[in-house]
Amino acid sequence: MGLNLFRVAGDLSHLASIFILLHKIVQLKSCSGISFKSQVLYLLVYITRYLDLPWTHSPYNFIFKVLFISSQLYTIYLMAKEYRPTNDAGLDTFRVEYLLGFAALLAVLFPVKYTVLEVFWAFSIWLESVAILPQLFMLQRTGEAEAITAHYLFALGAYRALYIPNWVYRYMTEPHHKVDTIAVVAGVLQTVLYSDFFWIYYTKVMKGEKFKLPV
């Protein structure tokens, strides 16, 4: 995949979301308000997407793949061990088996090719598109979020939203570039799921108010 401003901005936004989350957990010594289930799903996304890590030749891709996997493992370690008493297990109740089934079914039915790497790659793309749902469901149940948690979610949502103009740019500037239907549809789906959050973030947090869902 070629590099352009939109893709680099998206990748940096993705990395920033992880660092914001780690900063929140370590600084406050708490993972309250963070869905452990979503974090586990994201780890599964990275593992199944980066099965080609040993054969990655691009230094840019290799560094980001290692950063995403290692930082996600560290996040899960903090939530499962260091700050486990602060986990909101009673609120983190989304049935993730439906999300796993959704991603697995589409990966098997519509892979780019029927190879192990391509099926797992498709699985990771579909799973990532819905991996945030346990977190959004948790937000819906609590009705509000700390500002730093809202910043984390905004950066994570912005990452995928920035990939949409990246695809448009590549389609317009690279004569032999083929549209990746799976990535585009999943990316649009993920951005749509964030739409309400983006609006509340803009109208509340960006104006210095607390992130709170309307009653």
Side-chain angles (χ1 to χ4, degrees):
M1 181 183 288
L3 291 179
N4 59 64
L5 180 62
F6 298 113
R7 186 195 169 185
V8 172
D11 289 339
L12 291 177
S13 180
H14 190 183
L15 195 59
S17 72
I18 295 173
F19 286 146
I20 291 171
L21 177 60
L22 287 173
H23 176 70
K24 172 252 190 311
I25 293 174
V26 174
Q27 183 186 52
L28 301 180
K29 297 184 178 355
S30 170
C31 50
S32 177
I34 302 300
S35 168
F36 182 73
K37 290 184 176 182
S38 273
Q39 297 307 312
V40 172
L41 291 180
Y42 279 116
L43 177 62
L44 188 56
V45 166
Y46 302 145
I47 290 174
T48 54
R49 182 172 303 169
Y50 302 145
L51 291 174
D52 64 344
L53 182 63
W55 304 281
T56 302
H57 300 296
S58 165
Y60 177 92
N61 288 339
F62 184 84
I63 290 171
F64 271 92
K65 289 176 181 181
V66 171
L67 282 173
F68 290 147
I69 294 174
S70 58
S71 59
Q72 197 63 27
L73 281 168
Y74 183 51
T75 299
I76 289 175
Y77 165 76
L78 291 177
M79 296 186 71
K81 296 292 185 182
E82 292 292 318
Y83 306 115
R84 185 173 182 176
T86 64
N87 259 330
D88 299 320
L91 297 174
D92 194 12
T93 57
F94 194 93
R95 301 290 295 276
V96 296
E97 55 266 33
Y98 295 127
L99 305 182
L100 293 169
F102 162 80
L105 180 63
L106 290 181
V108 170
L109 291 178
F110 307 110
V112 176
K113 296 178 183 177
Y114 275 103
T115 64
V116 173
L117 288 181
E118 288 293 348
V119 170
F120 273 111
W121 178 86
F123 172 80
S124 77
I125 294 295
W126 290 117
L127 183 59
E128 185 183 28
S129 72
V130 293
I132 197 61
L133 282 176
Q135 180 66 66
L136 296 179
F137 180 73
M138 197 172 176
L139 268 182
Q140 190 69 41
R141 295 193 66 183
T142 59
E144 57 185 28
E146 297 168 329
I148 194 166
T149 301
H151 295 326
Y152 152 68
L153 290 172
F154 176 79
L156 187 60
Y159 134 68
R160 209 59 192 172
L162 284 165
Y163 261 61
I164 296 176
N166 163 59
W167 296 320
V168 174
Y169 177 84
R170 294 193 66 204
Y171 178 75
M172 295 178 64
T173 59
E174 299 177 21
H176 303 294
H177 176 65
K178 294 181 180 180
V179 177
D180 192 328
T181 306
I182 295 174
V184 171
V185 173
V188 171
L189 170 62
Q190 188 173 356
T191 304
V192 169
L193 291 178
Y194 270 97
S195 58
D196 284 345
F197 171 84
F198 283 146
W199 175 249
I200 298 172
Y201 183 89
Y202 172 75
T203 58
K204 297 286 186 181
V205 182
M206 292 294 287
K207 297 180 180 180
E209 301 177 23
K210 188 173 183 178
F211 181 92
K212 192 170 184 179
L213 297 176
V215 178

